[in-house]
Amino acid sequence: MRNFEYYTPTQVLFGKDTHLQAGSLLKKYGAKKVLIHYGGQSAVRSGLIDEITSNLKEEGLEYITLGGVIPNPLLSKVREGIELCQKEHVDFILAVGGGSVIDSSKAIGYGVANPNNDVWDFCLKKAVPTGCLPIGVILTIAASGSEMSSSSVITNEETKEKRGCAKTDYCRPKFAILNPRLTYTLPQYQTESGCVDILMHTMERYFVNIETMEITDSISESLMQTVIYNARILMKEPDNYSARAEIMWAGSLSHNGLTGCGTGEGAMLACNAFPQVLCGHIESPLDAYLFSQVNDGNCIALPFAENFGWGGELNLTYIFEKLFCAPGGGGYPKERVEPEQRNKKILDEVKKVTHRDLVSILKELDRDLVVGALSGEHFSEYFFANCKDETIAACVKELIG
């Protein structure tokens, strides 16, 4: 196993309505003027930003706000935040959001505390920060674990680079407020993506090619089992507080160093360095070619041992040949251009018919085709008992007689 140092200084406040203690925590850590940094308008529409600003006013704290952080936070937004903090003499940053907002806040903190350096130089390893503006977090999505970590990742939209921004303890948040109820409004897709992110952060440290610590591996295994179990619950019960709480705490533990004690970080962590990943499931050389040339993808998943019988090695060789036979995004091969253009014209005609109201579609499609499709066992029984649109019901009744 590897030698390790475990250091997690972030104060955690976990539970219902804990976000209403933000003002008192900020005062505890000496804040005078705060930048409230957040992502999209959902934090505003939900009333969360109003609750936070009211709480800061009650504590006599000044504040300014900066929203607009997007997934894979941009260097341009970081620069905007640095300039704003310097102009307004901000001395504390409160990140309200998930990993992208927290990472953006950390980079802003580095930029403000190191005015003689360009913040991107920290990502390029051309300079080392000597401090960071203090940061607090109100977490609204369980995913990245950035609320307790020393990591931040920024994307330079001009150079199309995604890089880590100086991994130091300076940027570790002073406090993290984890209220599972703040994740209730997340779309299902974001909840699911967050669960996958937590699993990936754990696997990055779990799958390593050295002897590891049994206790660390056991913690990782239990964490992953907990996430999988509760993710399934949230698929059916998105407002289940206990499941939300389990997922939220798992996200923090997955990336605060605990699951890497004695194991370090495995090769899977390299996946985080890729910006704007478009992944494809590849089983054959044709899949590989179409994914590379038509989809212009940049990441593939190969099913382990699937159909790997006689000729398996040859199939794998051809897959990689087709992936890299030409620059990505070139389109269909020459011999497929005419058939694909012909198929597109057919589909365009179908769209002209089908992208309208259902009654018009049913009347203009081939009558025998429609009658056959609607003549299944029990169709009439269930359809007419449950159809809420009288016009559609009348049309169907006319068609099937």
Side-chain angles (χ1 to χ4, degrees), residues 180-255:
R181 283 184 169 175
L182 296 183
T183 65
Y184 281 9
T185 57
L186 288 172
Q188 183 176 337
Y189 175 77
Q190 275 192 288
T191 298
E192 294 168 2
S193 298
C195 291
V196 172
D197 202 12
I198 296 167
L199 291 172
M200 287 300 298
H201 282 149
T202 310
M203 291 178 189
E204 285 161 0
R205 297 162 176 86
Y206 183 76
F207 291 110
V208 293
N209 60 353
I210 63 168
E211 182 183 353
T212 60
M213 293 190 73
E214 185 175 338
I215 181 63
T216 300
D217 283 349
S218 297
I219 291 170
S220 296
E221 290 161 5
S222 179
L223 194 153
M224 289 187 283
Q225 289 170 354
T226 298
V227 171
I228 292 168
Y229 177 79
N230 286 282
R232 288 172 175 159
I233 292 175
L234 291 178
M235 292 283 288
K236 298 178 180 179
E237 304 172 43
D239 292 346
N240 187 307
Y241 180 84
S242 295
R244 289 281 183 186
E246 296 282 359
I247 295 292
M248 182 169 265
W249 187 228
S252 297
L253 296 182
S254 72
H255 203 42

Side-chain angles (χ1 to χ4, degrees), residues 272-339:
N272 279 334
F274 292 107
Q276 310 300 330
V277 171
L278 176 61
C279 188
H281 180 88
I282 306 299
E283 294 185 23
S284 70
L286 178 59
D287 290 341
Y289 186 90
L290 294 177
F291 179 66
S292 170
Q293 296 301 307
V294 178
N295 300 113
D296 196 16
N298 57 12
C299 180
I300 67 167
L302 296 170
F304 178 71
E306 185 168 335
N307 299 322
F308 202 85
W310 181 86
E313 290 90 345
L314 196 60
N315 184 59
L316 196 60
T317 299
Y318 288 159
I319 283 176
F320 283 98
E321 282 184 3
K322 292 299 182 182
L323 272 175
F324 303 109
C325 65
Y332 286 100
K334 293 180 180 179
E335 64 273 14
R336 293 294 304 166
V337 171
E338 286 190 22

Side-chain angles (χ1 to χ4, degrees), residues 8 73 77 88 101 129 133 137 153 182 229 231 256 301 307 316 354:
T8 307
K77 181 60 68 174
E88 297 289 337
V101 172
L133 218 57
V137 174
V153 180
L182 296 183
Y229 177 79
N256 75 345
N307 299 322
L316 196 60
T354 58

